[in-house]
Amino acid sequence: MGDATISEAKARTFTVGEDDDGIRLDRWFKRHLPEISFNIVSRWARTGQLRLDGKRAVPGDRIEAGQQIRVPPPETAPARSPRAQRLVEPLTPDEAELVREMVIHEDRHAFVLAKPPGLATQGGTKTHHHLDRLLDGLADDAGARPKLVHRLDKDTSGALLVARTARAAGHFAKAFSGRTARKVYWALVVGVPSLEEGLIDLPLAKQPGTGGEKMHVEPESGLAAKTRWRLIDRAGNRAAWIELQPLTGRTHQLRAHMAAIGHPIIGDAKYGGAEAFLTGGISRKLHLHARRIRIDSLDGGVIDVTAELPPHFAESLATLGFEPLAGDMLPLDRPDPARSPEIKERRAAAAAKARRRERKGERRARGSQTRGRRR
């Protein structure tokens, strides 16, 4: 069957965000366009109307951050019967108030929310109370609700940005996938790293037998995963307060990386087991918090927001003798591709090569002078 003609003026284009990197295309539709059934997606694929970076796509294709998904206009899909439509349960007054209280920044393009620990970002088979549902409480006067552009784990607290329009969602998704946005996390970890800072460069893949619920280091087939970390403070050899900046956006990246280097995040039983818990009144909850988010806005300005710590994290800082202001005193460097680890490595290699050439040239010059004196 030949490719169907797609109206460029009406077709919709979406940019794959970092949190969708590596998932199947049909899963992306479930997350972002749940009103479109799998049958419709399959029909679009068969008729060539579904495109990934300009090429024909099928529901089972794996997508990558930054790729462009082109979807036919809404009117292409036949209207669904009332029975097939998903019933949306209205928010209770308490739920509407809860999501409004989460707002720590608001402008015409985005909200930044302070997500509490224990609240899932999106729903699932057994998850009915989640942030995505609560976003109905932030809908505008026309009923348009904000859109998720990145996620936080259920037990991770902190700053989470949602876009107010489809145009803003595309802009922010590109910023996350292009790594121009900066996300700063705070974590309390077991033990103390031997260095003051470092870069964890360990590919991650889904661990077999866990249903995709757990990641593990897989050098051969894993997806690239990089995390920059800095030591903020230490409590003897018992625990450390760490700043984390993910340079990629893999599932459970920060948790898996810290466990892989021998310093699991306190409260993270999934990756640290029994060793992830401390005695002495330290909470058993996960101590991972999205402290700050910095991202360029559509109007040329900058969104730079800090989220306050949840009670259990703040109490643990105090118990361990840490001063909360110490973490915010670390400078946040502006994103600069020229300062990435890969570029630094290439420059260092080039400089070393140049020095070797210079030394080789000096040896040749000295050899020529010696031969000249002998004559």
Side-chain angles (χ1 to χ4, degrees), residues 170-236:
H171 168 83
F172 293 127
K174 286 182 179 179
F176 282 120
S177 63
R179 317 302 174 201
T180 58
R182 300 298 292 274
K183 292 185 288 186
V184 175
Y185 290 76
W186 284 357
L188 292 182
V189 303
V190 177
V192 181
S194 58
L195 302 175
E196 294 291 319
E197 61 181 312
L199 175 70
I200 305 171
D201 184 358
L202 296 173
L204 297 175
K206 292 181 179 179
Q207 183 168 312
T210 63
E213 294 298 322
K214 187 175 181 180
M215 307 295 284
H216 73 135
V217 175
E218 179 51 68
E220 298 298 327
S221 60
L223 296 174
K226 299 181 180 182
T227 301
R228 176 190 175 194
W229 65 270
R230 290 190 283 188
L231 178 67
I232 301 174
D233 204 350
R234 59 186 292 168

Side-chain angles (χ1 to χ4, degrees), residues 115-151:
K115 189 188 85 65
L119 177 65
T121 302
Q122 291 179 293
T125 305
K126 298 180 181 180
T127 304
H128 303 290
H129 180 64
H130 51 87
L131 179 61
D132 193 28
R133 174 177 175 271
L134 296 179
L135 292 181
D136 288 336
L138 299 178
D140 61 21
D141 293 338
R145 64 197 303 277
K147 298 170 176 57
L148 292 169
V149 290
H150 69 119
R151 293 175 293 164

Side-chain angles (χ1 to χ4, degrees), residues 144-370:
R145 64 197 303 277
K147 298 170 176 57
L148 292 169
V149 290
H150 69 119
R151 293 175 293 164
L152 294 176
D153 291 346
K154 178 179 179 180
D155 294 321
T156 302
S157 58
L160 186 144
L161 181 143
V162 293
R164 301 189 69 166
T165 64
R167 177 169 169 263
H171 168 83
F172 293 127
K174 286 182 179 179
F176 282 120
S177 63
R179 317 302 174 201
T180 58
R182 300 298 292 274
K183 292 185 288 186
V184 175
Y185 290 76
W186 284 357
L188 292 182
V189 303
V190 177
V192 181
S194 58
L195 302 175
E196 294 291 319
E197 61 181 312
L199 175 70
I200 305 171
D201 184 358
L202 296 173
L204 297 175
K206 292 181 179 179
Q207 183 168 312
T210 63
E213 294 298 322
K214 187 175 181 180
M215 307 295 284
H216 73 135
V217 175
E218 179 51 68
E220 298 298 327
S221 60
L223 296 174
K226 299 181 180 182
T227 301
R228 176 190 175 194
W229 65 270
R230 290 190 283 188
L231 178 67
I232 301 174
D233 204 350
R234 59 186 292 168
N237 293 321
R238 185 185 183 202
W241 178 14
I242 302 291
E243 178 198 87
L244 298 167
Q245 292 192 34
L247 305 184
T248 52
R250 308 304 173 199
T251 300
H252 297 174
Q253 176 177 314
L254 303 182
R255 297 164 63 184
H257 270 174
M258 293 310 298
I261 66 171
H263 299 285
I265 297 173
I266 295 174
D268 191 3
K270 175 172 286 189
Y271 288 94
E275 296 180 0
F277 300 97
L278 295 182
T279 57
I282 300 300
S283 171
R284 295 178 65 85
K285 292 182 179 180
L286 183 69
H287 288 73
L288 179 61
H289 177 72
R291 175 63 172 177
R292 181 179 178 186
I293 187 168
R294 186 187 189 282
I295 191 168
D296 293 334
S297 190
L298 272 76
D299 55 11
V302 174
I303 297 173
D304 192 346
V305 182
T306 298
E308 293 300 318
L309 290 168
H312 79 277
F313 201 128
E315 291 169 6
S316 294
L317 283 184
T319 299
L320 292 169
F322 294 140
E323 172 54 53
L325 291 177
D328 291 322
M329 292 176 66
L330 293 179
L332 177 66
D333 300 328
R334 287 187 59 84
D336 182 0
R339 299 181 64 183
S340 70
E342 294 85 356
I343 296 298
K344 286 185 176 180
E345 290 175 4
R346 294 195 195 107
R347 288 182 173 176
K353 187 175 182 180
R355 287 194 295 271
R356 288 194 299 270
R357 286 179 176 175
E358 290 177 1
R359 288 195 295 267
K360 189 175 181 180
E362 291 173 356
R363 288 195 297 270
R364 287 178 177 174
R366 288 196 297 268
S368 298
Q369 293 173 359
T370 301

